Amino acid sequence: MKERFYHEYVPELLDGLQDLNETRVAKLNTLWSHAAQLEKNSLSNSVNHMANLINEIPRNQPHLDSLMFLRHNVTQSQEPPNLGFEPSPIWHDDEALITDDSAKVFLRNVLSNSKTQVRELRVESDQKRRTVQDAKRIRVNIQQGKDNRNEVEVVRSIFYLQEGLHEVDRKRLTAEVETSTIIAVVGDLSLGAKNHNFKSQTFKIPTNCDLCGERIWGLSAKGFDCRDCGYTCHSKCQMKVPAECPGEQSKEEKKKLKAERQEQAGSTPTLDLEPSSSPSAAPSLTRKDTMNSLSSGYAVSANRSLSNAASLPPPSELAAPASPAPTELPSPASPAPAPVQDTKPPVKRNRVLAPPPAQYVTAPPVEPTPKAGEQRGKMLYPYQAGGADEVTVNEGDEVVIVEPDDGGWMRVRAGASEGLVPTSYVEAAPAPSPASASPGFTDRPGSVYSNSSASLAGSAGAAGGKRVGPAVAPRRGAKKVQYVEALYDYEARSDMEWNMVEGDRFVLVNRDGGDGWADVERGGVTKSVPANYIQEV
C-alpha cells in the first residue's frame, strides 16, 4: 500500500493538477488573444478614421460654409424709405428754412461750428480708419501663422475700433449735411464773419448777458466769454450772438463795449429760435410732436404752403386781448377827424413762435359716455374701493349708471373703470325728456349739476374739509363679521395665543372645533384663545 501510494496515487494527482493548470493557462491565452485582437481592430479603425479626417478636413472651405449658411438662411430685406418732412399740428412750420436776419445769425453760427467740426472729424476719422486697417492686417498675419497673438481678442478689438470709427463718421456726415444744407439755402454765411473767440466761463461776480440782458446764473460754466472783446452771454444764447467781433480790445474799450451792449440788450427783445442744451453742440435734427408721433385727430395738411406762414397776423394783433378795449366815441357836434397819412417806414415783423408743444399734447380727460338706456350721475362723496368688484371715485366725478340701485349699491362707470359704489354716494341726474332729444328742439336745458372747479371748491369748503359719506349698507352675499368678547382674563402661554383682559373684543374666525380652542382676529393677526373664555356679541 505504501508503494502504491507514493508511486501511483500521488503521481496521478500531480499529473491531474498539472493538466488542470495547463488547461487554465490555455483558456487565459485564448481570452488575451481575443482582447488583443479587439484592441488591434479598434486601433486599426481609429487609424483609418483619423486618416479619413485628415483627408476630409481640408475640404471644409470657410467660404463654402458661408455660402451654405446663406443658401438656407438668407431672407429678403428692404431698405427703409428716406426721411421726409412731417408737419406739426402745433407749430406753423413747413419744410422751408426761415432766412430772416435773426435766423441768419443762428445759421451763420451753426455753419461756422459745422465747418470746424468737419475739419476736425475728418482728421479723427482718418486716424481711426488707419487703426482699424492695422488691426485687420494683424489678423491676417495671425491666420497665416506669422503672429502668435489670440485671434479672438484681435477680432474683438476690431469690432470696438469699428464702433468708434462709425460714431465719428456719423458726426462728420451730420456736420457735412448741415454745411451743405445751409449753403444751398442762404449761401456761405461764414465768409467775412468775425466770429467771437468764446471760452466757457464761470462768472464769480454778477454778470449780465450782452444779448438778452439777463443775469448769468450758475456755479460751473454757465456762460461764455469772448477772449478778444469781452462779449459775455448765456450758454443758451451763444448760437444767437451775431458774428461781429471787433477784435482784441483793451480793458477800457471792453468796458465801453459792455455798456453799449447792455443798453442795446435792454431795449431790443431777442427771439428764442432754438434752445440748445449744449453750447457747442449743433441743434438737434430730431422732430417731436409731429403728425406721426401724436395720436390725436388734428386735421392739418401734410404739406403746408408758404402762404400759410405769410397769412399769420402780426405779433401786435396776436398779443391783443380777446375783448376789444373801450374807445372814446366822438360827440355828434364834433367833426370827424381827418385821416392821417402814415409816413413811418414799415415795421419789420418778426416770426411768432407758439408756446412749447408740451402745453398742448396733454391727453384730454376721459368722459364717461352713456349708452342707450343708461343714466348719468354725480358723486356726492369720495369712495375708496374695498373689494375687487368696487371702483374708486372722487367727489364731483361724473359717472354713468350702468345698473340701478340693488340693495343700497349700484354699478357705475367712471372713465375706463366700472364697479359698485354705494347708492347714497351718487346723485342721479334726471333723464332727458323726449322733446329735448328731437331735432327741432333748440332751447338748451339748464345744467342739473356743475362740474366746475369753483362749485366743487365751494362745496368742499362748506363741508369743512374732506367730506365723509353716510354709512354704507352691506352688500348682498357679503360675509357677516361676528365679534366675540372676553369673559375672563387670560395670559398667553405661546406666540400662537392672545393675551386677553375681560371685555376685550375680537373678530371670530373659527369656533371651537372640538379641542376647546377658538381662532380670533385682532389687528389683522389671527391667534387662538380658550373657547369657554369668550362669548359672541
Side-chain angles (χ1 to χ4, degrees):
M1 295 296 294
K2 177 181 178 183
E3 184 178 359
R4 288 177 67 93
F5 180 79
Y6 283 103
H7 296 282
E8 184 176 349
Y9 295 157
V10 172
E12 288 180 357
L13 177 61
L14 293 177
D15 291 342
L17 292 176
Q18 182 179 352
D19 292 340
L20 178 62
N21 182 64
E22 292 176 357
T23 303
R24 181 178 64 84
V25 173
K27 291 292 184 183
L28 286 176
N29 290 340
T30 303
L31 294 176
W32 287 339
S33 299
H34 185 60
Q37 187 65 32
L38 292 177
E39 289 292 337
K40 181 180 179 181
N41 295 337
S42 176
L43 179 59
S44 177
N45 292 334
S46 298
V47 171
N48 295 334
H49 182 63
M50 292 301 145
N52 186 31
L53 288 179
I54 292 175
N55 295 328
E56 292 295 333
I57 287 175
R59 297 179 58 189
N60 185 24
Q61 298 294 336
H63 66 281
L64 297 178
D65 185 78
S66 300
L67 291 177
M68 183 177 62
F69 176 82
L70 293 175
R71 184 182 305 166
H72 295 280
N73 297 277
V74 68
T75 57
Q76 294 292 336
S77 62
Q78 294 182 353
E79 182 180 353
N82 295 333
L83 298 179
F85 176 79
E86 298 178 9
S88 173
I90 300 163
W91 303 83
H92 299 283
D93 59 352
D94 47 46
E95 62 273 18
L97 292 181
I98 300 298
T99 56
D100 55 14
D101 292 341
S102 301
K104 285 184 178 180
V105 171
F106 180 81
L107 293 176
R108 179 183 293 111
N109 294 329
V110 174
L111 183 60
S112 301
N113 292 342
S114 298
K115 281 188 173 182
T116 305
Q117 289 180 2
V118 168
R119 291 191 296 267
E120 296 175 353
L121 292 174
R122 281 178 179 173
V123 176
E124 185 177 0
S125 177
D126 293 339
Q127 293 177 352
K128 289 185 176 295
R129 187 172 286 104
R130 286 193 295 268
T131 305
V132 172
Q133 295 298 330
D134 294 340
K136 289 183 178 180
R137 281 193 292 269
I138 294 175
R139 183 187 178 188
V140 173
N141 294 334
I142 294 175
Q143 292 175 349
Q144 295 176 355
K146 300 178 182 179
D147 201 320
N148 296 328
R149 278 179 276 190
N150 190 351
E151 185 178 359
V152 176
E153 295 296 333
V154 173
V155 172
R156 185 179 291 112
S157 65
I158 290 176
F159 287 160
Y160 178 77
L161 294 174
Q162 285 179 338
E163 182 180 359
L165 171 62
H166 295 163
E167 182 178 358
V168 174
D169 220 24
R170 285 194 298 269
K171 293 181 180 179
R172 177 190 60 80
L173 183 59
T174 301
E176 289 179 354
V177 171
E178 288 179 351
T179 302
S180 60
T181 303
I182 295 176
I183 292 178
V185 175
V186 291
D188 194 351
L189 296 174
S190 61
L191 297 178
K194 301 177 181 179
N195 296 323
H196 291 274
N197 187 13
F198 280 125
K199 177 185 177 182
S200 182
Q201 189 68 262
T202 299
F203 300 98
K204 300 180 180 179
I205 60 174
T207 306
N208 293 337
C209 176
D210 290 341
L211 182 67
C212 63
E214 298 180 358
R215 184 66 54 87
I216 301 176
W217 298 99
L219 300 178
S220 60
K222 295 298 182 180
F224 285 89
D225 181 17
C226 180
R227 298 179 182 180
D228 298 335
C229 66
Y231 197 105
T232 57
C233 64
H234 290 97
S235 299
K236 64 179 181 179
C237 297
Q238 183 209 0
M239 299 301 293
K240 296 177 286 186
V241 175
E244 300 173 354
C245 181
E248 189 173 355
Q249 303 289 322
S250 62
K251 189 174 182 180
E252 297 297 331
E253 292 173 343
K254 288 182 179 179
K255 290 183 179 180
K256 184 177 179 181
L257 290 174
K258 183 72 174 178
E260 295 177 356
R261 291 165 180 166
Q262 288 297 317
E263 182 180 358
Q264 184 179 4
S267 60
T268 305
T270 59
L271 185 62
D272 190 4
L273 288 174
E274 182 75 21
S276 177
S277 58
S278 174
S280 60
S284 174
L285 299 179
T286 305
R287 291 177 56 82
K288 299 181 179 179
D289 301 323
T290 58
M291 294 301 298
N292 292 345
S293 62
L294 294 179
S295 58
S296 55
Y298 290 98
V300 296
S301 173
N303 296 314
R304 298 176 182 268
S305 62
L306 296 178
S307 60
N308 293 339
S311 61
L312 292 176
S316 58
E317 297 180 8
L318 292 177
S323 59
T327 56
E328 182 179 359
L329 298 177
S331 60
S334 59
V340 180
Q341 185 178 1
D342 189 4
T343 58
K344 296 181 180 180
V347 180
K348 180 181 178 181
R349 296 180 179 179
N350 294 328
R351 291 186 297 128
V352 179
L353 298 181
Q359 300 183 8
Y360 294 95
V361 297
T362 304
V366 180
E367 295 290 343
T369 305
K371 300 179 181 178
E374 295 178 344
Q375 187 180 6
R376 283 184 176 271
K378 174 187 175 184
M379 296 303 301
L380 299 176
Y381 313 97
Y383 180 71
Q384 184 70 28
D389 196 26
E390 301 177 9
V391 64
T392 300
V393 288
N394 299 321
E395 180 184 356
D397 287 354
E398 292 188 7
V399 296
V400 174
I401 301 175
V402 180
E403 297 179 4
D405 184 9
D406 185 12
W409 294 79
M410 64 168 54
R411 180 175 294 276
V412 299
R413 183 171 67 254
S417 304
E418 182 176 329
L420 297 174
V421 294
T423 305
S424 57
Y425 282 50
V426 182
E427 178 186 5
S433 60
S436 62
S438 61
F441 189 80
T442 57
D443 295 335
R444 182 178 179 180
S447 177
V448 178
Y449 54 86
S450 174
N451 194 25
S452 63
S453 58
S455 61
L456 293 178
S459 61
K466 187 176 180 180
R467 301 182 62 185
V468 180
V472 180
R475 292 172 51 186
R476 292 187 177 181
K479 183 178 179 180
K480 185 178 180 181
V481 180
Q482 179 65 49
Y483 293 94
V484 293
E485 185 177 6
L487 297 174
Y488 316 101
D489 296 347
Y490 177 75
E491 183 177 356
R493 300 179 182 179
S494 68
D495 294 339
M496 304 300 295
E497 302 175 5
W498 280 113
N499 286 321
M500 292 194 306
V501 180
E502 182 182 355
D504 286 352
R505 302 189 70 177
F506 301 88
V507 176
L508 180 62
V509 179
N510 293 320
R511 292 183 172 84
D512 184 7
D515 56 356
W517 294 85
D519 295 334
V520 296
E521 178 187 346
R522 179 171 63 184
V525 181
T526 302
K527 296 183 180 181
S528 301
V529 296
N532 55 354
Y533 275 55
I534 57 176
Q535 67 175 359
E536 296 182 0
V537 294

